[in-house]
């Protein structure tokens, strides 16, 4: 019981010593949610199959997936074209060319 009384006295003393906060200062301490929602932030986003000719209207995740897939196809296609994907010379062509 004595511990409770001591704690209550300390809390009372601290509250008296602390400077009072005005209403203007309290409003600065209250956390705001900022752009958490409710406001209109531009045109609504759509799935890419709903409007395939307007990438600016696509949802961000759809735009990223399609863009990365397109870059992958371009890089892989270039690799196949300039490496072994071009004209291959088979052994029959080598033999036929050597006989002439």
């Amino acid at each position: 019981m004595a511990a409770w009384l001591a704690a209550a006295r300390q809390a009372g003393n601290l509250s008296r010593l602390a400077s009072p906060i005005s209403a203007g200062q309290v409003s600065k301490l209250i956390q705001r949610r900022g752009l958490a929602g409710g406001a209109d932030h531009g045109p609504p986003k759509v799935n890419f199959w709903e409007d395939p000719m307007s990438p600016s209207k696509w949802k961000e995740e759809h735009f990223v997936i399609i863009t990365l897939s397109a870059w992958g196809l371009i890089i892989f296609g270039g690799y196949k074209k300039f490496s072994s994907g071009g004209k291959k010379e088979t052994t029959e062509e080598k033999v036929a060319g050597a006989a002439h």
Side-chain angles (χ1 to χ4, degrees):
M1 187 72 163
W4 283 102
L5 287 174
R9 284 182 186 156
Q10 285 179 350
N13 288 336
L14 287 176
S15 66
R16 283 186 218 132
L17 293 176
S19 62
I21 299 175
S22 67
Q25 292 172 337
V26 171
S27 65
K28 291 179 184 177
L29 297 175
I30 296 174
Q31 183 178 3
R32 294 188 186 190
R33 294 193 61 183
L35 299 174
D40 186 24
H41 295 293
K45 301 295 183 181
V46 297
N47 297 320
F48 75 93
W49 56 84
E50 294 172 359
D51 194 4
M53 299 306 288
S54 299
S56 62
K57 294 181 183 178
W58 294 350
K59 293 182 179 178
E60 183 179 355
E61 55 271 17
H62 293 175
F63 183 80
V64 169
I65 290 170
I66 292 171
T67 304
L68 291 176
S69 299
W71 275 108
L73 286 172
I74 290 170
I75 292 170
F76 184 72
Y79 166 75
K80 291 305 263 183
K81 179 175 180 160
F82 293 113
S83 64
S84 63
K87 182 179 177 184
K88 292 184 180 179
E89 193 172 315
T90 61
T91 55
E92 294 175 6
E93 292 173 354
K94 288 182 183 177
V95 173
H100 288 266

